[in-house]
Amino acid sequence: LHVVQHFKLYIDDGCGIVTSRAEAELFLQTIADKDPDGKLSWELEFQADGDTWIPFLNTEVRIATDGNIKTRLYRKPQRRNITLHAQSHHPKSMKYNTIRNSFKDAKEISSGNEEAEHSSAIVEKLYRCNGYRLSELKQETDDTVTNDAPQKPGMLCLDYVSEDVSNKIRQFIRKSKLNLRVIFLPGRKLRNLFCSSRPYDHKKCLNTKCDICPRVTTKGKNCLVKNIVYKITCNICKDTYIGETSRTAHQRLGEHMRYAKHPKTKSNCEQALAIHYTNNHCDVQPDLAFDILTVQPNTSRRKIYEAMFIYQNNPKMNLREELKTVERFLIVHD
């Protein structure tokens, strides 16, 4: 049995300290012999002298002649210099933070000033190849960091549209003295819209007597879809109602059907659909159509979408109390 002074394993990459190459080979062969199928193989990179660097994940390591361990940033030679491009449709703050974190990681990985210069040069080359002028970005990144609120701010995640829209939202938050930190997330990419790794993995409603599916007018949707913003249209008078739910369409829209069918029931009489049918179509069988406006698993985003659709469509069946509630999720600029 050969004792290894130090050994770390990350998935299929290992790093260890041994006294000789022969001892390293014997140690690896001992591990390979434990494989019952005999298919375990390995490749060994061994430090031949004090100037040889050994790569491990994103780090290069070597043991200096004085016995100290030196480390610096490492990128595979065959790896393309591709990262978040300067012209990509992402918020500037995201680009700045990506650059700042890259330099921060390079500094933390490096064991000394000489190694830090080498690591920083790798990061600088990477971002120059992707259209960045680092002198300008560093100044703007520093400005972004110093503008933190004195108290821990609340987080508000919004879809990124453009720098103009982002600046208007930031100005509104500052003007209103809201203690919020806005994070703009990149929108859906074309590959997400046109491609699916599981195109046939859609739930099907097996209820042959389902009262909801025949009323869903959105192509490709049924009563089992969840996390939706929906629109209900009364086919008698064409008035509409807009709402959102994290439950299935069958559960939530089924409730609306009950409100319309039994509007005078004590537990239903204060609901929007019940009030509409009581005032406008008393004793008339409900005729409703359901449209799935969007699917959004994130609760805050879903409520923002609901507020936007209500603002754009001005549905007549929504109650005033509901409209006041959704106004909290909407910023309107004249």
Side-chain angles (χ1 to χ4, degrees):
L1 177 65
H2 293 265
V3 179
V4 178
Q5 299 179 28
H6 176 83
F7 182 74
K8 289 292 183 182
L9 183 67
Y10 182 82
I11 306 179
D12 59 348
D13 291 318
C15 181
I17 299 176
V18 293
T19 56
S20 66
R21 185 183 185 91
E23 184 173 321
E25 291 177 345
L26 183 58
F27 174 71
L28 292 174
Q29 188 60 50
T30 302
I31 296 176
D33 292 340
K34 299 296 182 181
D35 182 15
D37 299 325
K39 296 182 178 181
L40 186 63
S41 61
W42 42 264
E43 295 179 0
L44 175 63
E45 293 190 51
F46 191 81
Q47 182 178 339
D49 51 54
D51 295 326
T52 304
W53 291 89
I54 303 298
F56 178 62
L57 304 178
N58 67 335
T59 307
E60 280 188 315
V61 184
R62 74 179 177 91
I63 301 177
T65 54
D66 58 2
N68 291 324
I69 297 178
K70 303 291 186 179
T71 57
R72 66 187 186 184
L73 184 67
Y74 173 72
R75 283 179 64 86
K76 292 183 178 180
Q78 67 271 24
R79 191 173 179 181
R80 296 182 180 180
N81 286 325
I82 297 177
T83 187
L84 191 63
H85 198 276
Q87 300 300 321
S88 63
H89 188 69
H90 288 76
K92 282 187 177 180
S93 58
M94 179 178 292
K95 297 173 185 176
Y96 300 157
N97 289 332
T98 301
I99 294 174
R100 182 181 61 188
N101 290 333
S102 296
F103 278 104
K104 180 181 177 182
D105 292 341
K107 184 178 179 180
E108 291 178 350
I109 288 173
S110 303
S111 57
N113 293 333
E114 183 179 345
E115 291 78 21
E117 289 181 6
H118 175 86
S119 302
S120 297
I122 293 176
V123 176
E124 184 173 342
K125 179 182 177 182
L126 171 65
Y127 285 100
R128 286 192 184 279
C129 290
N130 285 272
Y132 291 94
R133 291 185 293 180
L134 298 183
S135 57
E136 297 178 0
L137 292 177
K138 185 178 185 304
Q139 178 63 43
E140 295 189 47
T141 304
D142 293 340
D143 293 342
T144 303
V145 175
T146 56
N147 288 335
D148 290 335
Q151 297 180 351
K152 187 175 180 180
M155 305 292 288
L156 177 61
C157 297
L158 299 175
D159 287 333
Y160 176 74
V161 178
S162 67
E163 285 302 315
D164 183 55
V165 173
S166 300
N167 290 333
K168 286 182 179 180
I169 293 174
R170 292 192 186 98
Q171 291 171 7
F172 181 88
I173 290 175
R174 284 196 293 268
K175 183 178 179 181
S176 303
K177 298 181 179 180
L178 300 175
N179 191 21
L180 287 175
R181 179 186 176 190
V182 186
I183 298 177
F184 294 99
L185 304 175
R188 299 184 68 185
K189 299 178 177 61
L190 288 176
R191 67 181 182 188
N192 301 127
L193 295 174
F194 295 114
C195 302
S196 174
S197 58
R198 305 176 71 176
Y200 302 109
D201 189 15
H202 299 293
K203 292 183 178 180
K204 295 183 179 180
C205 178
L206 301 178
N207 184 0
T208 56
K209 298 181 180 180
C210 181
D211 192 29
I212 304 300
C213 286
R215 302 175 186 272
V216 176
T217 59
T218 309
K219 185 178 180 180
K221 302 297 183 185
N222 60 25
C223 71
L224 299 181
V225 63
K226 293 182 177 181
N227 301 312
I228 58 173
V229 180
Y230 57 88
K231 180 174 73 173
I232 301 175
T233 303
C234 174
N235 289 327
I236 301 173
C237 62
K238 300 305 178 181
D239 283 356
T240 59
Y241 175 91
I242 291 177
E244 65 84 23
T245 183
S246 60
R247 297 180 293 162
T248 65
H250 186 90
Q251 292 173 309
R252 184 59 181 138
L253 300 180
E255 291 176 346
H256 286 296
M257 283 293 298
R258 289 196 296 273
Y259 302 152
K261 286 181 178 180
H262 310 287
K264 297 180 181 180
T265 303
K266 187 175 181 180
S267 58
N268 298 344
C269 61
E270 295 182 358
Q271 301 296 330
L273 269 292
I275 294 173
H276 176 78
Y277 270 82
T278 298
N279 295 338
N280 301 283
H281 315 298
C282 187
D283 299 326
V284 176
Q285 188 67 16
D287 185 6
L288 303 176
F290 304 133
D291 185 19
I292 309 301
L293 300 177
T294 188
V295 178
Q296 177 52 251
N298 183 279
T299 302
S300 297
R301 287 191 186 186
R302 192 170 62 249
K303 289 184 178 296
I304 291 171
Y305 276 119
E306 179 195 22
M308 290 172 56
F309 283 121
I310 288 177
Y311 179 76
Q312 293 170 356
N313 294 275
N314 191 25
K316 293 183 178 181
M317 283 195 277
N318 285 75
L319 303 178
R320 286 189 177 182
E321 292 75 12
E322 293 175 323
L323 297 177
K324 290 180 180 179
T325 301
V326 299
E327 281 178 357
R328 298 185 293 116
F329 297 92
L330 199 61
I331 299 173
V332 181
H333 290 277
D334 296 330

